[in-house]
Amino acid sequence: MDERAVYLNGSFVPESEAKVSIFDRGFNAGDAVYDVTRTFGHKPFKLREHNQRLYRSLTYTRIDCGLSIEEMEKATLELLDRNKHLLGENDDYALWQVVSRGIRHPSVNRRGSDSATVAIYCMPVDFRGFARHYVEGATVVVPSTRRIPPQCLESKAKIANKMNHIIATFEAKQADPRAIPLMLDIDGNISESNAHNFFFAMDGTICMPTTRNVLGGVTKATLLSLADGLGIKVVEGNFTPYDVLNADEAFLASTSPTIVPVKSLNGVRIGKETPGAITFRLIQAWNKLVKVDIVRQALSHLDTEERKQLLELWKEKLASF
């Protein structure tokens, strides 16, 4: 079978047959939570940790998904098993788990007005979307749209309504079509991007925004553990764009690309080299952890000429460290 399967409300169905009602609260109110992990070498990465974060989000939003965390994990692994044969050697999946509160209008809800909608699906990792960033570095831009403060909506919960981040992304891309937004909190301190945690390094120390107004990433926690193993000091605090502009290097962290070197902020170059020394060490440590060379894997998805050019540049960078 060449079509991916989807888990929807207790059943495995072909992707083209997976349908959700227009009366679903996730659709018409953004009343849903979600989580995403990915595979490395076709194996899921820290699925239990991602599920634990999903269930914390469910608790916060008062949604009962009707499944235990073990049942959610079992369904996710079975779905991956059903779809794994469609992966190429250098492909991997992003594993999405989305839970909404269910049907808004009881008269059309045959499953009962309090039944959540549970969907799990596999999306091929979009390596082409971030492959160049490993070698050239990503550009980040501070938009005018601020991160919703925790007094209004808890940042630690992974809420499906992403309009705040989407508007910030549009603003950043008006300045630079390839830019990633770096959102500030209402006090002007660095928060996070539309889909990444943000870090910068100064004098051999990693600096990161306080957890007060950012999503706690599983990738972030893993990178901090790797940094500890490498003897790299990490500090948390309130930092502004001024601090980043004077940093030695910066990087983003999220599920699919894992660690993304940052080249510039608002058009101003950060540091002398991209990636910087700490970013490079973390990439190498991650490769060892997951037993996949994440840079070469991503570059393998580019067109031949572009791939060759970027691989040569990456080899030059490897030789300089």
Side-chain angles (χ1 to χ4, degrees), residues 7 12 47-48 51 55 67-82 97 120:
Y7 174 94
F12 294 94
L47 178 59
R48 176 51 64 99
N51 280 348
Y55 277 72
L67 297 172
S68 68
I69 193 169
E70 291 80 15
E71 290 169 329
M72 179 70 75
E73 188 172 291
K74 180 181 177 182
T76 304
L77 291 173
E78 182 173 347
L79 180 72
L80 174 60
D81 225 27
R82 289 170 179 253
Q97 300 163 322
I120 310 172

Side-chain angles (χ1 to χ4, degrees), residues 159-221:
I159 307 294
N161 188 329
K162 305 294 288 184
M163 190 58 70
N164 180 234
H165 298 79
I166 291 168
I167 296 300
T169 302
F170 277 124
E171 286 188 52
K173 292 189 180 302
Q174 283 180 313
D176 179 346
R178 291 191 175 187
I180 294 171
L182 178 58
M183 302 175 74
L184 308 181
D185 65 18
I186 58 173
D187 296 316
N189 297 309
I190 291 165
S191 175
E192 60 188 8
S193 88
N194 61 313
H196 315 75
N197 290 122
F198 182 82
F199 306 81
F200 65 94
M202 177 66 75
D203 298 327
T205 296
I206 295 174
C207 304
M208 65 178 187
T210 173
T211 56
R212 179 174 175 271
N213 209 179
V214 300
L215 177 71
V218 175
T219 301
K220 170 185 173 180

Side-chain angles (χ1 to χ4, degrees), residues 127-179:
F127 292 107
R128 293 180 62 88
F130 55 78
R132 297 186 69 92
H133 290 161
Y134 289 123
V135 183
E136 298 177 344
T139 58
V140 297
V141 170
V142 175
S144 64
T145 297
R146 300 295 177 95
R147 183 70 170 92
I148 296 173
Q151 295 93 328
C152 300
L153 187 67
E154 179 54 64
S155 308
K156 297 180 182 68
K158 202 166 175 67
I159 307 294
N161 188 329
K162 305 294 288 184
M163 190 58 70
N164 180 234
H165 298 79
I166 291 168
I167 296 300
T169 302
F170 277 124
E171 286 188 52
K173 292 189 180 302
Q174 283 180 313
D176 179 346
R178 291 191 175 187

Side-chain angles (χ1 to χ4, degrees), residues 219-270:
T219 301
K220 170 185 173 180
T222 306
L223 286 172
L224 293 180
S225 176
L226 291 175
D228 183 61
L230 293 170
I232 302 171
K233 182 181 177 182
V234 179
V235 297
E236 177 186 316
N238 290 322
F239 301 104
T240 67
Y242 171 92
D243 300 304
V244 179
L245 291 173
N246 286 284
D248 296 322
E249 60 185 285
F251 60 91
L252 298 156
S254 65
T255 299
S256 287
T258 303
I259 180 168
V260 177
V262 171
K263 174 174 62 177
S264 65
L265 171 64
N266 293 343
V268 179
R269 183 166 186 91
I270 301 170

Side-chain angles (χ1 to χ4, degrees), residues 37-46 50 80 84 87 89-95 125 127 130 134 219 222 254-259 286-287 289-295 297:
T37 186
R38 63 159 283 186
T39 62
F40 289 95
H42 304 180
K43 298 176 182 178
F45 181 73
K46 295 197 173 183
H50 279 274
L80 174 60
K84 201 179 290 185
L87 288 171
E89 183 181 355
N90 270 346
D91 296 335
D92 270 302
Y93 280 136
L95 302 174
V125 173
F127 292 107
F130 55 78
Y134 289 123
T219 301
T222 306
S254 65
T255 299
S256 287
T258 303
I259 180 168
W286 190 277
N287 289 346
L289 175 69
V290 300
K291 298 179 175 58
V292 172
D293 187 323
I294 60 174
V295 178
Q297 180 187 32

Side-chain angles (χ1 to χ4, degrees), residues 104-116:
R104 174 187 286 271
H105 198 307
S107 66
V108 296
N109 184 4
R110 297 174 184 173
R111 295 186 296 112
S113 59
D114 59 348
S115 297

